[in-house]
Amino acid sequence: MTQATATQIAADVRAGRVQARAVVEAALARLDEARHLDAAEHVLADEARSAAHALDSRMAAGEDVGPLAGVPVVIKAENDVAGVVTTFGGRCGGEPAVADSAVVARLRQAGAVVVATTRMPEFGQYPFTEGSWGITRNPHDPDRSPGGSSGGSAALVAAGVVPVGIGGDGGGSIRIPASCCGLVGLKPVRGRVSTAPHPDLWGPLGTIGPLTGTVADCALVYDAISGTTDVDAFSASAPAEPFAVAAAREPGRLRIGWIATPPWPTIRVDPRVRRVLGGTARRLAEAGHDVRGLPGRWPDAQPAFVPSFFAAIADECSRVPHPERAEARTRSGARVGAAIPDVVLRAAGRTAERIRRGVEARWAEYDVVLSPTIACLPPPLPQLTGAGMGQAILRAAPMVAFSTLANVTGHAAMSLPAGTAGGLPVGVQLYAPGGDETRLLPLAAQLERLLRDAAQA
């Protein structure tokens, strides 16, 4: 990890203990050292230095420079960054963006400094960060995947280059790389964060958010970027409390159900992942929570997810100036999505609502449900090289078995590093069948402390 968290950097810059320019120069040096990961797409060194200099000048003038003052961040390549071509992980882009996306603008307003955009699979379709440009590698083991689709951002945070990487989650694409790279990744409730200038990200499935090394940093960034605009198709009600406040308080005694059985009999949870999950459940019980094993399988969200997934590929392709440059498997997916009748998509929406109500009824007595984030360890590389659309979808199944449900229901879910197996990170998922992110953050912070204390004992 980087030597300082986002919370520490911002506090030091705001207090005048360190200049933003020094923080950014150090991040750029680390970025250069991490080139072997192929996680950065466009490095914005001159722009970052200029932004840091302006921030220091404002500090010298006595201005408030924001809650993320001087924090270097990287941005997934599906978000507009002024002056940079928005590639969506492929070659379909055209002219550089004329303005920042809403999330990037809010980060800058909060004092963060953008140092690079990051790799992703084309249009974020798969949980592996590979494409026509090459392969992004996991800093824990360069022969393993960092997950995806926000794998570039995750790899740079896990390598200690920056404390914050912005990702997107349409089927687990924040939580999956968080698990693979040993990070904190929260998928908030639908409509929590603006997707402007676009009305949505992957229709009703997607949201934007950070990958961080700590729960406190996760909450700090969400407080800075939350909120929607008139452009957004979805908007969530205000959270029960500020995220940083939630992350700093005790969770109280919670009712926690845990489950390790995937929705499909063809998927087998790695025994090492199951052991980490079981150990996490025991640790939470020892901390005083009411923890119980849940019968049955994890709910199957695919009847609603699959039509929306293919429609999203088609829609994403329609937003770029050069869809003809897309990879072959992307073009295959876009053709499938374009052929889905509106009546089928409306039916998928109704199915999603039934799944949401069913989940809330099934788990009504539980505050939080605990599961694996992914069913396997970070997979070996490559996963997508030479694979067509069908092969890629099959290889993705163990990665998304537990993650797509939250995208279909719109509920909050997050991945938290809970242990290792063979030197590789293992994440667990906290899912809130009712309530919002403020139900998850206090528990995540408590579990983070418990694991840290155990490691130091």
Side-chain angles (χ1 to χ4, degrees), residues 352-386:
E353 178 61 18
R354 286 196 297 271
I355 291 171
R356 183 191 65 79
R357 292 196 302 266
V359 165
E360 292 178 358
R362 175 182 173 184
W363 291 334
E365 64 182 291
Y366 297 99
D367 298 302
V368 174
V369 175
L370 174 71
S371 79
T373 304
I374 61 176
C376 57
L377 297 179
L381 292 170
Q383 289 290 319
L384 295 182
T385 301

Short mmCIF file of all heavy atoms in Angstrom, two decimals, residues 352-386:
data_model
loop_
_atom_site.label_atom_id
_atom_site.label_comp_id
_atom_site.label_asym_id
_atom_site.label_seq_id
_atom_site.Cartn_x
_atom_site.Cartn_y
_atom_site.Cartn_z
N ALA A 352 -36.50 -8.01 -12.10
CA ALA A 352 -35.57 -7.44 -11.13
C ALA A 352 -36.30 -6.97 -9.88
O ALA A 352 -35.83 -7.17 -8.76
CB ALA A 352 -34.81 -6.28 -11.77
N GLU A 353 -37.46 -6.37 -10.07
CA GLU A 353 -38.23 -5.91 -8.92
C GLU A 353 -38.73 -7.09 -8.09
O GLU A 353 -38.71 -7.04 -6.85
CB GLU A 353 -39.40 -5.05 -9.39
CG GLU A 353 -40.31 -4.54 -8.29
CD GLU A 353 -39.59 -3.64 -7.28
OE1 GLU A 353 -38.49 -3.15 -7.59
OE2 GLU A 353 -40.14 -3.45 -6.18
N ARG A 354 -39.13 -8.16 -8.75
CA ARG A 354 -39.56 -9.36 -8.00
C ARG A 354 -38.38 -9.96 -7.23
O ARG A 354 -38.53 -10.40 -6.09
CB ARG A 354 -40.13 -10.41 -8.96
CG ARG A 354 -41.51 -10.06 -9.49
CD ARG A 354 -42.18 -11.28 -10.09
NE ARG A 354 -41.46 -11.80 -11.25
CZ ARG A 354 -41.67 -11.39 -12.49
NH1 ARG A 354 -42.56 -10.42 -12.75
NH2 ARG A 354 -40.99 -11.92 -13.50
N ILE A 355 -37.20 -9.96 -7.85
CA ILE A 355 -36.02 -10.48 -7.16
C ILE A 355 -35.71 -9.62 -5.94
O ILE A 355 -35.40 -10.15 -4.86
CB ILE A 355 -34.82 -10.54 -8.13
CG1 ILE A 355 -35.05 -11.62 -9.19
CG2 ILE A 355 -33.53 -10.83 -7.36
CD1 ILE A 355 -34.03 -11.61 -10.31
N ARG A 356 -35.80 -8.31 -6.10
CA ARG A 356 -35.53 -7.41 -4.97
C ARG A 356 -36.49 -7.69 -3.82
O ARG A 356 -36.06 -7.83 -2.66
CB ARG A 356 -35.65 -5.95 -5.40
CG ARG A 356 -35.32 -4.96 -4.28
CD ARG A 356 -35.70 -3.54 -4.66
NE ARG A 356 -37.14 -3.37 -4.81
CZ ARG A 356 -37.99 -3.23 -3.80
NH1 ARG A 356 -37.55 -3.24 -2.55
NH2 ARG A 356 -39.27 -3.07 -4.03
N ARG A 357 -37.77 -7.77 -4.12
CA ARG A 357 -38.75 -8.03 -3.06
C ARG A 357 -38.53 -9.39 -2.43
O ARG A 357 -38.66 -9.56 -1.21
CB ARG A 357 -40.17 -7.92 -3.62
CG ARG A 357 -40.59 -6.52 -4.03
CD ARG A 357 -42.09 -6.43 -4.18
NE ARG A 357 -42.60 -7.40 -5.15
CZ ARG A 357 -42.82 -7.14 -6.43
NH1 ARG A 357 -42.56 -5.93 -6.91
NH2 ARG A 357 -43.29 -8.07 -7.24
N GLY A 358 -38.16 -10.37 -3.26
CA GLY A 358 -37.92 -11.71 -2.74
C GLY A 358 -36.72 -11.76 -1.81
O GLY A 358 -36.75 -12.44 -0.77
N VAL A 359 -35.66 -11.06 -2.18
CA VAL A 359 -34.46 -11.00 -1.34
C VAL A 359 -34.79 -10.35 0.00
O VAL A 359 -34.39 -10.83 1.08
CB VAL A 359 -33.32 -10.26 -2.06
CG1 VAL A 359 -32.22 -9.86 -1.10
CG2 VAL A 359 -32.77 -11.10 -3.19
N GLU A 360 -35.50 -9.25 -0.04
CA GLU A 360 -35.83 -8.54 1.19
C GLU A 360 -36.74 -9.38 2.09
O GLU A 360 -36.61 -9.34 3.32
CB GLU A 360 -36.47 -7.20 0.86
CG GLU A 360 -35.48 -6.22 0.22
CD GLU A 360 -36.11 -4.89 -0.15
OE1 GLU A 360 -37.35 -4.73 0.06
OE2 GLU A 360 -35.39 -4.01 -0.65
N ALA A 361 -37.64 -10.15 1.48
CA ALA A 361 -38.51 -11.01 2.29
C ALA A 361 -37.73 -12.20 2.85
O ALA A 361 -37.88 -12.56 4.03
CB ALA A 361 -39.68 -11.51 1.44
N ARG A 362 -36.89 -12.81 2.04
CA ARG A 362 -36.14 -13.99 2.46
C ARG A 362 -35.18 -13.66 3.60
O ARG A 362 -35.00 -14.46 4.54
CB ARG A 362 -35.36 -14.55 1.27
CG ARG A 362 -34.44 -15.72 1.60
CD ARG A 362 -33.69 -16.18 0.36
NE ARG A 362 -32.66 -17.18 0.67
CZ ARG A 362 -31.82 -17.69 -0.23
NH1 ARG A 362 -31.89 -17.29 -1.49
NH2 ARG A 362 -30.92 -18.58 0.16
N TRP A 363 -34.56 -12.48 3.53
CA TRP A 363 -33.54 -12.11 4.51
C TRP A 363 -34.02 -10.97 5.42
O TRP A 363 -33.20 -10.20 5.94
CB TRP A 363 -32.26 -11.72 3.80
CG TRP A 363 -31.58 -12.90 3.14
CD1 TRP A 363 -31.67 -14.20 3.50
CD2 TRP A 363 -30.69 -12.86 2.02
NE1 TRP A 363 -30.91 -15.00 2.68
CE2 TRP A 363 -30.29 -14.20 1.76
CE3 TRP A 363 -30.18 -11.84 1.22
CZ2 TRP A 363 -29.42 -14.53 0.73
CZ3 TRP A 363 -29.31 -12.17 0.18
CH2 TRP A 363 -28.93 -13.50 -0.05
N ALA A 364 -35.31 -10.88 5.63
CA ALA A 364 -35.88 -9.76 6.38
C ALA A 364 -35.35 -9.68 7.81
O ALA A 364 -35.25 -8.58 8.37
CB ALA A 364 -37.40 -9.87 6.39
N GLU A 365 -35.03 -10.80 8.41
CA GLU A 365 -34.57 -10.77 9.81
C GLU A 365 -33.10 -10.44 9.96
O GLU A 365 -32.59 -10.37 11.09
CB GLU A 365 -34.87 -12.11 10.48
CG GLU A 365 -34.12 -13.30 9.88
CD GLU A 365 -34.49 -14.60 10.57
OE1 GLU A 365 -34.12 -14.77 11.74
OE2 GLU A 365 -35.16 -15.44 9.92
N TYR A 366 -32.38 -10.23 8.85
CA TYR A 366 -30.94 -9.99 8.92
C TYR A 366 -30.60 -8.55 8.52
O TYR A 366 -31.15 -8.01 7.56
CB TYR A 366 -30.20 -10.97 8.02
CG TYR A 366 -30.38 -12.40 8.47
CD1 TYR A 366 -31.31 -13.23 7.86
CD2 TYR A 366 -29.64 -12.90 9.55
CE1 TYR A 366 -31.49 -14.53 8.29
CE2 TYR A 366 -29.84 -14.19 9.99
CZ TYR A 366 -30.76 -15.01 9.37
OH TYR A 366 -30.94 -16.29 9.81
N ASP A 367 -29.68 -7.96 9.25
CA ASP A 367 -29.19 -6.63 8.91
C ASP A 367 -28.22 -6.69 7.74
O ASP A 367 -28.21 -5.81 6.88
CB ASP A 367 -28.48 -6.01 10.12
CG ASP A 367 -29.40 -5.83 11.30
OD1 ASP A 367 -30.42 -5.14 11.15
OD2 ASP A 367 -29.10 -6.39 12.37
N VAL A 368 -27.37 -7.71 7.74
CA VAL A 368 -26.33 -7.87 6.73
C VAL A 368 -26.22 -9.34 6.38
O VAL A 368 -26.38 -10.21 7.26
CB VAL A 368 -24.96 -7.35 7.26
CG1 VAL A 368 -23.84 -7.64 6.26
CG2 VAL A 368 -25.02 -5.86 7.56
N VAL A 369 -25.96 -9.63 5.11
CA VAL A 369 -25.68 -10.99 4.66
C VAL A 369 -24.23 -11.05 4.20
O VAL A 369 -23.77 -10.20 3.43
CB VAL A 369 -26.65 -11.43 3.55
CG1 VAL A 369 -26.26 -12.80 3.01
CG2 VAL A 369 -28.08 -11.43 4.05
N LEU A 370 -23.52 -12.06 4.68
CA LEU A 370 -22.10 -12.26 4.40
C LEU A 370 -21.93 -13.39 3.40
O LEU A 370 -22.55 -14.45 3.55
CB LEU A 370 -21.37 -12.58 5.70
CG LEU A 370 -19.90 -12.98 5.65
CD1 LEU A 370 -19.04 -11.77 5.30
CD2 LEU A 370 -19.47 -13.57 7.00
N SER A 371 -21.10 -13.19 2.39
CA SER A 371 -20.85 -14.21 1.37
C SER A 371 -19.43 -14.06 0.84
O SER A 371 -18.75 -13.09 1.14
CB SER A 371 -21.84 -14.05 0.20
OG SER A 371 -21.44 -12.99 -0.66
N PRO A 372 -18.96 -15.01 0.02
CA PRO A 372 -17.73 -14.73 -0.74
C PRO A 372 -17.98 -13.56 -1.68
O PRO A 372 -19.11 -13.34 -2.12
CB PRO A 372 -17.50 -16.02 -1.53
CG PRO A 372 -18.33 -17.07 -0.87
CD PRO A 372 -19.51 -16.35 -0.29
N THR A 373 -16.94 -12.81 -1.98
CA THR A 373 -17.06 -11.83 -3.07
C THR A 373 -16.98 -12.55 -4.41
O THR A 373 -17.82 -12.33 -5.29
CB THR A 373 -15.96 -10.76 -2.97
OG1 THR A 373 -16.00 -10.14 -1.69
CG2 THR A 373 -16.16 -9.71 -4.05
N ILE A 374 -15.95 -13.38 -4.57
CA ILE A 374 -15.85 -14.24 -5.75
C ILE A 374 -15.66 -15.67 -5.27
O ILE A 374 -15.23 -15.91 -4.14
CB ILE A 374 -14.71 -13.81 -6.69
CG1 ILE A 374 -13.35 -13.89 -5.99
CG2 ILE A 374 -14.96 -12.40 -7.22
CD1 ILE A 374 -12.17 -13.56 -6.90
N ALA A 375 -15.99 -16.63 -6.11
CA ALA A 375 -15.96 -18.04 -5.72
C ALA A 375 -14.57 -18.66 -5.80
O ALA A 375 -14.39 -19.80 -5.37
CB ALA A 375 -16.93 -18.83 -6.59
N CYS A 376 -13.61 -17.91 -6.32
CA CYS A 376 -12.27 -18.46 -6.57
C CYS A 376 -11.21 -17.49 -6.10
O CYS A 376 -11.52 -16.38 -5.67
CB CYS A 376 -12.11 -18.73 -8.07
SG CYS A 376 -12.39 -17.26 -9.11
N LEU A 377 -9.97 -17.91 -6.19
CA LEU A 377 -8.85 -17.00 -6.00
C LEU A 377 -8.64 -16.20 -7.28
O LEU A 377 -9.20 -16.54 -8.34
CB LEU A 377 -7.59 -17.79 -5.65
CG LEU A 377 -7.62 -18.59 -4.35
CD1 LEU A 377 -6.29 -19.32 -4.16
CD2 LEU A 377 -7.92 -17.71 -3.16
N PRO A 378 -7.87 -15.10 -7.23
CA PRO A 378 -7.58 -14.37 -8.47
C PRO A 378 -7.07 -15.34 -9.54
O PRO A 378 -6.11 -16.06 -9.32
CB PRO A 378 -6.49 -13.38 -8.04
CG PRO A 378 -6.74 -13.17 -6.58
CD PRO A 378 -7.21 -14.48 -6.06
N PRO A 379 -7.73 -15.39 -10.70
CA PRO A 379 -7.40 -16.40 -11.69
C PRO A 379 -6.10 -16.13 -12.43
O PRO A 379 -5.65 -14.98 -12.52
CB PRO A 379 -8.59 -16.35 -12.65
CG PRO A 379 -9.11 -14.97 -12.53
CD PRO A 379 -8.87 -14.56 -11.10
N PRO A 380 -5.48 -17.18 -12.97
CA PRO A 380 -4.24 -16.99 -13.74
C PRO A 380 -4.51 -16.25 -15.04
O PRO A 380 -5.62 -16.26 -15.57
CB PRO A 380 -3.77 -18.43 -13.99
CG PRO A 380 -5.00 -19.27 -13.88
CD PRO A 380 -5.87 -18.60 -12.86
N LEU A 381 -3.46 -15.61 -15.55
CA LEU A 381 -3.53 -14.89 -16.82
C LEU A 381 -2.98 -15.75 -17.94
O LEU A 381 -2.11 -16.59 -17.72
CB LEU A 381 -2.72 -13.60 -16.72
CG LEU A 381 -3.27 -12.53 -15.77
CD1 LEU A 381 -2.24 -11.42 -15.58
CD2 LEU A 381 -4.57 -11.97 -16.31
N PRO A 382 -3.51 -15.54 -19.18
CA PRO A 382 -4.63 -14.66 -19.53
C PRO A 382 -5.97 -15.39 -19.42
O PRO A 382 -6.00 -16.62 -19.38
CB PRO A 382 -4.33 -14.31 -20.99
CG PRO A 382 -3.68 -15.56 -21.53
CD PRO A 382 -2.86 -16.12 -20.39
N GLN A 383 -7.04 -14.64 -19.41
CA GLN A 383 -8.39 -15.19 -19.41
C GLN A 383 -9.16 -14.88 -20.68
O GLN A 383 -9.99 -15.66 -21.11
CB GLN A 383 -9.18 -14.66 -18.20
CG GLN A 383 -8.72 -15.22 -16.86
CD GLN A 383 -9.07 -16.70 -16.70
OE1 GLN A 383 -10.15 -17.14 -17.06
NE2 GLN A 383 -8.14 -17.47 -16.14
N LEU A 384 -8.88 -13.74 -21.30
CA LEU A 384 -9.65 -13.32 -22.47
C LEU A 384 -8.91 -13.50 -23.79
O LEU A 384 -9.55 -13.49 -24.85
CB LEU A 384 -10.05 -11.85 -22.34
CG LEU A 384 -11.01 -11.51 -21.19
CD1 LEU A 384 -11.34 -10.02 -21.22
CD2 LEU A 384 -12.28 -12.34 -21.27
N THR A 385 -7.61 -13.69 -23.77
CA THR A 385 -6.86 -13.83 -25.02
C THR A 385 -7.39 -15.00 -25.84
O THR A 385 -7.43 -16.13 -25.38
CB THR A 385 -5.37 -14.05 -24.73
OG1 THR A 385 -4.87 -12.94 -23.98
CG2 THR A 385 -4.58 -14.17 -26.01
N GLY A 386 -7.82 -14.69 -27.06
CA GLY A 386 -8.34 -15.71 -27.96
C GLY A 386 -9.74 -16.19 -27.64
O GLY A 386 -10.27 -17.06 -28.34
#
